[in-house]
Amino acid sequence: MTARSHGGDRTMLTTLLLLALVGQQAEPTPPPAKEKKVCRTEQATGSRLGARRICKTRAEWDEIAADARKDVDNAAARLNAASGR
């Protein structure tokens, strides 16, 4: 082999390796799993006909419950403070 063909072989090998690397693509990340909705039926205050269905994720329901607990705790603290307990 001549020096010229050695250089051509290296160039060809380099080109093939680069093409192989370019052809490899990272696998696409799957979309995040859609969180399951939990539906509840809530009655409107003062009405028998006002029930409505509300659907939220478990995390959203947990946040609503935590907010409600905070509101009750705050109201109890204000009541106790006002009564001098």
Side-chain angles (χ1 to χ4, degrees):
M1 283 192 181
T2 64
R4 185 175 203 167
S5 68
H6 259 302
D9 289 342
R10 282 192 201 128
T11 304
M12 178 69 80
L13 181 60
T14 303
T15 303
L16 289 173
L17 287 173
L18 287 174
L19 287 173
L21 288 174
V22 170
Q24 291 179 350
Q25 295 180 349
E27 292 200 22
T29 56
K34 208 171 186 185
E35 210 174 328
K36 185 178 176 184
K37 297 277 185 172
V38 176
C39 297
R40 297 181 182 172
T41 303
E42 293 189 359
Q43 295 286 337
T45 304
S47 172
R48 286 189 226 163
L49 304 174
R52 62 185 185 146
R53 189 172 175 177
I54 301 173
C55 299
K56 298 184 181 292
T57 63
R58 172 64 54 202
E60 290 170 328
W61 285 119
D62 290 346
E63 185 177 347
I64 290 168
D67 289 345
R69 278 191 299 275
K70 275 191 237 174
D71 290 344
V72 169
D73 290 344
N74 288 339
R78 283 193 303 264
L79 183 63
N80 287 337
S83 67
R85 290 183 187 176

